[in-house]
Amino acid sequence: MSGVMPLPLGNPDYVAIEPYEWVQCRSIGRARTEANIGKGDAAEYDREAMMPDPEGNVMTVLCEFAVAKYTGENWTGMGAWSKEDHYKYKHLPDVGDDIEVRMIVRGPGPKIRDHETDGYLFCARLHGDTMYTTEVEMVGWISMREGQQVKQPHRNGRYHYVPIEALYSPSSWPRKVRVKPVEQVQDAMSGRFVMPGSPVFEVIE
């Protein structure tokens, strides 16, 4: 489990995921898993602190989407690409122009990589630490520059993390706007769901 107790449901720092949004996120998470079959883990990965695929990918997608919904920023993670094409998209942030989203399940805080010095880190956690939830907790945020100053080495020696207590309250996010519910557009003939401004993809049952 992560280093602090989760907030009670109903707290304003929770983001509710609508059923159709959950289905879309699940589809993208599964697509990411399939696109990376055979790809090895990055050196800093700690499987003991991670959820197994494909559940872990679905959970990550849910956190990314929830942060986009909370901040009112665009979500750039609506696709899935293979390891061969990863280099074409690695420059894209998870949300907006400069937000990287980190999910925590177990561990003392969100991971931060040595080269991450620009933009912001936003930390999120799924209620119950499972993909089968419709509530995502916004844990907090910090600028990457500040994160580099307060980061701590993880006990496994593979990566650094930002202590949860160093994060700013989600409600203090400076660019937060009132978020309107995402419009649902359903093509009854094809069974496809589309978020405005997003590419169309098939819902995977």
Side-chain angles (χ1 to χ4, degrees):
M1 295 294 290
S2 46
V4 297
M5 292 297 292
L7 295 170
L9 287 176
N11 186 284
D13 289 334
Y14 266 101
V15 173
I17 304 295
E18 300 296 334
Y20 66 90
E21 294 170 340
W22 186 90
V23 170
Q24 290 181 322
C25 289
R26 182 190 62 177
S27 297
I28 295 172
R30 287 182 173 180
R32 289 184 185 182
T33 298
E34 293 174 2
N36 286 283
I37 292 176
K39 179 183 176 183
D41 290 341
E44 74 270 16
Y45 278 16
D46 180 5
R47 281 290 169 182
E48 293 183 1
M50 298 169 61
M51 299 298 292
D53 297 333
E55 183 176 3
N57 280 328
V58 175
M59 292 170 68
T60 298
V61 171
L62 286 165
C63 285
E64 291 176 8
F65 175 72
V67 169
K69 193 172 182 180
Y70 184 84
T71 61
E73 303 274 357
N74 291 326
W75 180 34
T76 60
M78 291 188 176
W81 38 84
S82 67
K83 57 183 179 181
E84 290 79 15
D85 289 334
H86 182 70
Y87 74 95
K88 299 177 183 178
Y89 306 99
K90 65 183 301 182
H91 67 284
L92 293 175
D94 295 324
V95 173
D97 296 324
D98 55 3
I99 301 173
E100 291 295 325
V101 177
R102 298 287 150 78
M103 176 183 71
I104 56 170
V105 179
R106 310 177 186 94
K111 180 189 303 181
I112 186 169
R113 299 180 175 91
D114 291 343
H115 69 272
E116 294 178 317
T117 57
D118 297 320
Y120 297 89
L121 184 156
F122 218 112
C123 181
R125 168 173 47 201
L126 296 177
H127 178 65
D129 293 327
T130 173
M131 63 177 273
Y132 299 103
T133 184
T134 57
E135 299 285 345
V136 182
E137 179 188 346
M138 301 293 101
V139 178
W141 65 275
I142 193 170
S143 71
M144 291 293 190
R145 191 173 301 277
E146 290 176 285
Q148 292 293 347
Q149 295 173 353
V150 300
K151 68 183 181 183
Q152 299 292 321
H154 192 270
R155 62 180 181 275
N156 65 18
R158 297 180 187 174
Y159 66 90
H160 289 82
Y161 68 92
V162 176
I164 288 180
E165 56 269 21
L167 301 176
Y168 293 103
S169 167
S171 60
S172 68
W173 175 248
R175 300 201 304 257
K176 190 172 188 303
V177 297
R178 184 177 298 278
V179 181
K180 296 180 179 179
V182 177
E183 296 175 23
Q184 179 185 18
V185 182
Q186 179 179 8
D187 183 335
M189 296 300 293
S190 65
R192 295 179 299 181
F193 291 79
V194 186
M195 289 182 183
S198 72
V200 174
F201 56 88
E202 297 293 337
V203 173
I204 303 173
E205 294 296 346

